[in-house]
Amino acid sequence: MPSASFTSSRSYVRRSRRKVANRIPLPSRTSSAEPCELTCQIPNQSIPGAGGSSSAPPAAGASSSSASSSSTVTAATGSTSTSGLSNTTSSHHSPYDLRRKSPPYHDATASTSTATSSSTSSNYLASMLPARKRPRRTCSVTNETCSATAAHYLQYELPDEVLLTIFSYLLEQDLCRVSQVCKRFQAIANDTELWKNLYQSVYEYDLPLFNPAPCRFEFCAPEDSDHANPWKESFHQLYRGVHVRPGYQDMTFRGRNIKYFNTVQNALDFADERGSNADGDGHGALVFLHAGTYRGEFLVIDSDVALIGAAPGNVAESVILERESESTVMFVEGAKHAYAGHLTLKFSPDVTSTVPHHKHYCLEVVENCSPTVDHCIIRSTSVVGAAVCVSGVGANPVIKHCDISDCENVGLYVTDYAQGTYEDNEISRNALAGIWVKNFANPIMRRNHIHHGRDVGIFTFENGLGYFEANDIHNNRIAGFEVKAGANPTVVHCEIHHGQTGGIYVHENGLGQFIDNKIHSNNFAGVWITSNSNPTIRRNEIYNGHQGGVYIFGEGRGLIEHNNIYGNALAGIQIRTNSDPIVRHNKIHHGQHGGIYVHEKGQGLIEENEVYANTLAGVWITTGSTPVLRRNRIHSGKQVGVYFYDNGHGKLEDNDIFNHLYSGVQIRTGSNPIIRGNKIWGGQNGGVLVYNGGLGLLEQNEIFDNAMAGVWIKTDSNPTLKRNKIFDGRDGGICIFNGGKGILEENDIFRNAQAGVLISTQSHPILRRNRIFDGLAAGVEITNNATATLEYNQIFNNRFGGLCLASGVQPIVRGNKIFNNQDAVEKAVTNGQCLYKISSYTSFPMHDFYRCQTCNTTDRNAICVNCIKTCHAGHDVEFIRHDRFFCDCGAGTLTNQCQLQGEPTQDTDTLYDSAAPMESHTLMVN
């Protein structure tokens, strides 16, 4: 009997035309068989093909052609037993009786009449024709007419619902055979519901499961399938499998060729003995495990067998393999294309174990094997070892869609040069790391969800490698990703967030490439780098950290480039304790604290970053730190641009520093940076402020368009300014006061609204070979007991004069050229004008100023000489001194209206010095 073929109706015809065993053979043209005479059937003979009944076997002595024909019909009708015939002859039963296409309205009487009118000679002549040219005939006997009528009724008139009910009692092999009878049977036998019911009685799945390739099993909703009958196609693909279904081993099913076993090991032994399927299509042996808990079996897989759960609903939850010692399932050499899927694997030691790690694994994959583990639930309550261990050269599994959670140790452990692909797994709530990668292991891990671990999310150490892509790592108690001791993973497109400690922790010579990740909302720093570690952090978004963004300390290094770092509670990047990273091409912005914080002898090359809109300083440099900042744009901060304090040093070169609420650069308390080639502009409180003992070398900078002085030097500070351009200030060019010193050499100071250089209050700078010109006030003003050394300067074309000295000031002057100044103050006095006319309240021309006792002027008021002569003539007046001031009489702040001015301009406070700059209130947070 030919074997039944499980193919869909669409492809079955093509297959039946190829395979001779499934075709109905025709008599040979040269056959010497006797003429065909149909056997008269008794009235109560069963109808072939109906209700699973069968036709008669060939009589003894029939020709080989007849026997073959009879056998084929038996297969086509799905029969396995014989029906009773009253007699048989040597003539074969025509294979076409049930395939004859009768007219739609068949008349049995007419058929009988036609048969009886046929002559013997015509029958003889017809029998002598070759088989394919013989005319079709009807039976000439009443019983034969009865058979034709039954066949016609069965094929054309019996309702589909009745046939469908009959076919529902057939199993899969008989259903395939009956579909070969005729096209109508084929259509009904391929009914989707028929095959769904059969399929679910065997495999129990809610959806058809397909096996399109080795180690690949996929559920597919019927409406999404490309197959005409997906249930039948799945049956065909899975039919080679054996089943572990306790209680079924001793059952037999006619019309079904399926082996059942009570234990998994017996099924595996049988599969190994039988080998791979006969079709040779590359699919290995297949073992189905039905619902239940299988305890105590230690399964060592060393061949290409597929082990898969079979149950309704959530398959993996219903099929459990459990063991208390060694490993639950182990794949060893030889399991190149083995598969385990839709199972729960449990390892539950009966006592708390202290045996070394390698003795306690739920799933173990060792050298030279590459199984696929798919849609499994993996649990281990052992306090040592790991739920899954992959170790050894050539260990290269595919583990996907698995749930490795709630384990009392490590979830997944990959070590000793092992590799493998791990995709779409759920790894959570494990007592130690979700994943360990160690000792040159190099796995590929994609789209895993690693979260709520009681330790670190992923831990690579002792030269572990690996490629980690698009994983979601969050809410782990320590870091989301830890790299240690020479490990060098590649981590791309991952989201690492809400770590209870930090996001990424690289330490003890750790390496790694972290590229295009989202690192956010971690309790501490987004990235920690320490103890000689040197990772690459590139094109990540590091944001909303509850502390800092990137924290480099303890001699850490690293390349930090092209990242977007923003919205962190502390500094975007913090560098301390001899750390020396390269930080470049990053955006560091909108921090709730500062942008970059370098302290405690921190170093680093910080170049071509954009640092902006941070709440405190854009860059802090303090406590012996010596970073190099080059070609950065540091702007729009809510305090200072770059802040050097408490012996902060370093180099600030070719940066663009602008639009800060305070000054662009502040230097204080022993700090001594080199500031060279920068553009410092748009500061709301000045360009550069050096105070409280600050030092520094400022050379070849452009300092312009600042709201107050371009450079402030005060309180015992002593910087050196060389070859700078300080211009277009909305206040003075350089203001030195409160004991400020400094060496100013070869600077160009021009077009400032106040004095080019203002020296006040016990200050004593040295000005040498500067050009001070085109100022809107005086060139150099010295006041309030200050002094200076002025050597070889050129002071020209300033509005109020070249060198203006207050009363009592005696500078050291040598070799200066003071020429072509406009002397607007002397001209105004000569012309009898109020000096407020030429200054308003924004400029402070230097001249004699007075007070009027009659008008009750205070120490904060001053009156110019022309107003004393005109507006206060005859009053009790007092000469105060020659100094810089504006006239309160002209400003309209006194009782009498100024007679030399037009409409008064209200102003209540005359300032004798430029307004003091705002010092940074940046918090120093370690």
Side-chain angles (χ1 to χ4, degrees), residues 48-124:
S53 59
S54 50
S55 59
S63 68
S64 61
S65 175
S66 300
S68 174
S69 176
S70 176
S71 174
T72 304
V73 172
T74 303
T77 56
S79 303
T80 56
S81 61
T82 60
S83 60
L85 291 178
S86 58
N87 54 47
T88 60
T89 68
S90 60
S91 301
H92 72 276
H93 196 296
S94 170
Y96 294 104
D97 279 354
L98 295 181
R99 294 179 176 270
R100 182 182 301 117
K101 299 296 183 288
S102 302
Y105 301 101
H106 180 69
D107 188 338
T109 306
S111 177
T112 304
S113 173
T114 303
T116 54
S117 64
S118 299
S119 65
T120 303
S121 65
S122 64
N123 284 338
Y124 176 75

Side-chain angles (χ1 to χ4, degrees), residues 37 56 111 200 256 299 315 329 339 354 391 412 418 439 455 493 522 560 587 597 659 661 790 804 846 867 885 890 922:
E37 295 182 6
S111 177
Q200 292 184 333
R256 172 169 292 163
L299 303 180
V315 180
V329 176
Y339 177 92
T354 58
S391 64
L412 171 61
N439 195 20
D455 199 271
H493 299 295
N522 296 286
I560 319 296
K587 289 184 177 181
Y597 182 25
N659 286 353
L661 188 61
L790 283 76
C804 299
M846 186 170 285
C867 284
F885 66 96
T922 298

Side-chain angles (χ1 to χ4, degrees), residues 851-856 863 868 870-878 896:
R851 291 199 183 102
C852 179
Q853 303 297 332
T854 304
C855 296
N856 295 320
I863 302 172
I868 287 293
T870 303
C871 303
H872 298 268
H875 290 191
D876 184 8
V877 297
E878 177 186 8
N896 294 336

Side-chain angles (χ1 to χ4, degrees), residues 255-517:
R256 172 169 292 163
N257 183 21
I258 292 178
K259 282 283 187 180
Y260 291 94
F261 296 91
N262 288 331
T263 67
V264 181
Q265 190 60 57
N266 287 344
L268 291 174
D269 292 342
F270 175 82
D272 286 343
E273 291 174 5
R274 188 172 68 174
S276 62
N277 65 322
D279 290 345
D281 57 3
H283 294 274
L286 178 57
V287 178
F288 291 97
L289 277 66
H290 289 263
T293 300
Y294 302 85
R295 290 190 175 91
E297 296 190 67
F298 179 27
L299 303 180
V300 179
I301 311 297
D302 59 359
S303 62
D304 293 341
V305 63
L307 200 64
I308 185 167
N314 188 318
V315 180
E317 290 181 354
S318 302
V319 183
I320 301 170
L321 293 172
E322 186 172 7
R323 188 166 169 79
E324 296 180 350
S325 61
E326 296 181 303
S327 298
T328 305
V329 176
M330 177 185 287
F331 291 96
V332 299
E333 186 169 359
K336 186 176 181 181
H337 298 295
Y339 177 92
H342 300 279
L343 304 168
T344 291
L345 308 180
K346 281 188 177 180
F347 182 70
S348 308
D350 51 356
V351 293
T352 302
S353 178
T354 58
V355 181
H357 291 283
H358 65 278
K359 295 293 183 182
H360 294 82
Y361 306 119
C362 183
L363 171 64
E364 188 171 3
V365 181
V366 300
E367 297 92 340
N368 300 315
C369 65
S370 52
T372 297
V373 181
D374 183 19
H375 284 96
C376 287
I377 299 171
I378 303 173
R379 301 282 187 267
S380 172
T381 59
S382 172
V383 296
V384 293
V388 179
C389 177
V390 182
S391 64
V393 176
N396 190 21
V398 175
I399 297 179
K400 58 186 181 179
H401 303 110
C402 291
D403 182 356
I404 307 171
S405 302
D406 298 306
C407 302
E408 294 303 319
N409 201 270
V410 177
L412 171 61
Y413 179 27
V414 189
T415 185
D416 297 339
Y417 298 88
Q419 297 179 332
T421 301
Y422 308 81
E423 296 180 333
D424 302 295
N425 300 289
E426 179 84 8
I427 302 174
S428 62
R429 299 183 301 277
N430 297 292
L432 292 184
I435 297 172
W436 276 4
V437 181
K438 175 184 175 184
N439 195 20
F440 300 100
N442 193 13
I444 296 172
M445 298 195 176
R446 294 192 182 100
R447 298 183 303 278
N448 300 287
H449 189 194
I450 304 159
H451 62 101
H452 288 93
R454 286 172 274 170
D455 199 271
V456 69
I458 298 176
F459 184 24
T460 57
F461 62 108
E462 294 182 17
N463 301 299
L465 304 170
Y467 179 81
F468 301 83
E469 180 181 10
N471 301 284
D472 188 5
I473 306 168
H474 64 92
N475 288 100
N476 297 285
R477 193 178 67 84
I478 305 182
F481 204 115
E482 183 175 351
V483 183
K484 176 182 176 182
N488 189 14
T490 298
V491 182
V492 299
H493 299 295
C494 293
E495 188 168 359
I496 304 170
H497 58 106
H498 291 92
Q500 296 179 35
T501 300
I504 296 169
Y505 181 30
V506 188
H507 61 118
E508 296 183 29
N509 299 291
L511 300 168
Q513 294 79 43
F514 296 85
I515 304 170
D516 295 312
N517 302 286

